[in-house]
Amino acid sequence: MSRHPVPSAEELAGLDDEELERLTVEWRARASRGAKQAYGVAHALEVELRQRIRISRAQQLPPPVSAARRWWKFWQTSPTSGATTST
């Protein structure tokens, strides 16, 4: 029985996104058919693919507009006025 080594970080970094996605689908199919040695390879490929997707989506997000107010200052008016309600 041949054992497929899990790809290293350098090998994964050398793959372009399309090739990585193709290999991920291929190795996950092998693992789902019962090839036990394919589970580690499929997992490593899926982790790399998810990380790349997460990074690319995070880069598309707009920068935050303003700092969020602290939850314990909910009784204050807007942060720019500086006025607080008194009891």
Side-chain angles (χ1 to χ4, degrees):
M1 175 165 79
S2 66
R3 180 162 175 92
H4 298 283
V6 176
S8 68
E10 294 83 21
E11 292 171 331
L12 291 174
L15 296 173
D16 65 347
D17 292 343
E18 293 174 0
E19 180 71 10
L20 179 63
E21 187 172 356
R22 186 189 66 75
L23 288 172
T24 301
V25 170
E26 179 183 326
W27 280 97
R28 180 48 60 196
R30 289 182 190 181
S32 67
R33 288 191 298 265
K36 292 182 182 179
Q37 64 270 18
Y39 285 108
V41 177
H43 178 72
L45 292 168
E46 288 170 345
V47 167
E48 178 68 21
L49 184 62
R50 281 193 305 269
Q51 287 177 346
R52 289 186 188 185
I53 289 170
R54 187 178 305 122
I55 290 170
S56 68
R57 286 185 182 168
Q59 291 172 347
Q60 295 172 1
L61 292 174
V65 176
S66 64
R69 292 181 14 182
R70 302 286 184 197
W71 65 269
W72 62 84
K73 295 185 179 183
F74 64 91
W75 61 87
Q76 289 183 341
T77 59
S78 68
T80 56
S81 69
T84 60
T85 58
S86 60
T87 54

